Each structure stands twice: as C-alpha cells, then as structure tokens.
Amino acid sequence: MFASPTGGPLSPNTDYHVRKRLLRDAGVRDGRLHDARHTAATVLLLLGVPDVVVDSIMGWEPGGAARMCARYMHITGPMLRKVAQQVGDMLWESPKDN
C-alpha cells in the first residue's frame, strides 16, 4: 500500500499524473505506460538477453518468453538487414587464399 506525503490514500490516477510530469520534465516523448513494456522487451531482444532473464525482467512466467515475445518484442529493420548481411556473407564468402 502506498500513501500520499501526508499519509492519506493516493488518488487512483496519481501515478499517471506523476509519470506524465516526469516525462514532460525530462523532455521524453509522451506515450502510454504499456507501450514502454513493448519498448523494453524490444530492447532486451536487441541486446540478445537470454529468454530466462527476459522472463524475470518482464515479470513473465518462467518459460513464457516464447509466447510473450511474439506479443511484446518487435523486429526492427536494422535487425533484419543485419541477419540478411550475415547470411549473404556466409553464402557468398570469397574463397580464402591457401
């Protein structure tokens, strides 16, 4: 349970207003709080964080990353280009001099 600075109950939308103020003061683009979960999951994907760690960070049930990744992690254009380049390099690698 959380209380106001004077010990009274918090208004149900206090966290909403505090978050909005923090974003504004920090000069960060406004967005829905839930969108931040998608961003966080995508960043973990970009960093190559193991699924078991992603589950823990995101609060997902152990072993749930496979199902939740499809919902929360978003593949980016640069990620696809990097993989395409790696596959191309592997397939079309120039012969090495002996």
Side-chain angles (χ1 to χ4, degrees), residues 5-45:
T6 60
L10 291 176
S11 169
N13 61 4
T14 296
D15 61 335
Y16 172 85
H17 294 294
V18 169
R19 186 179 63 82
K20 293 289 188 182
R21 187 175 64 243
L22 287 170
L23 292 173
R24 185 188 66 240
D25 292 351
V28 175
R29 177 183 65 84
D30 191 9
R32 296 180 314 146
L33 182 58
H34 187 75
D35 293 341
R37 287 186 58 78
H38 288 265
T39 300
T42 300
V43 168
L44 295 172
L45 174 66

Side-chain angles (χ1 to χ4, degrees), residues 34-73:
H34 187 75
D35 293 341
R37 287 186 58 78
H38 288 265
T39 300
T42 300
V43 168
L44 295 172
L45 174 66
L46 286 165
L47 293 174
V49 175
D51 286 352
V52 67
V53 178
V54 171
D55 288 344
S56 179
I57 291 171
M58 297 300 294
W60 298 336
E61 65 183 68
R67 177 174 47 83
M68 298 305 283
C69 287
R71 184 176 302 156
Y72 281 87
M73 293 180 169

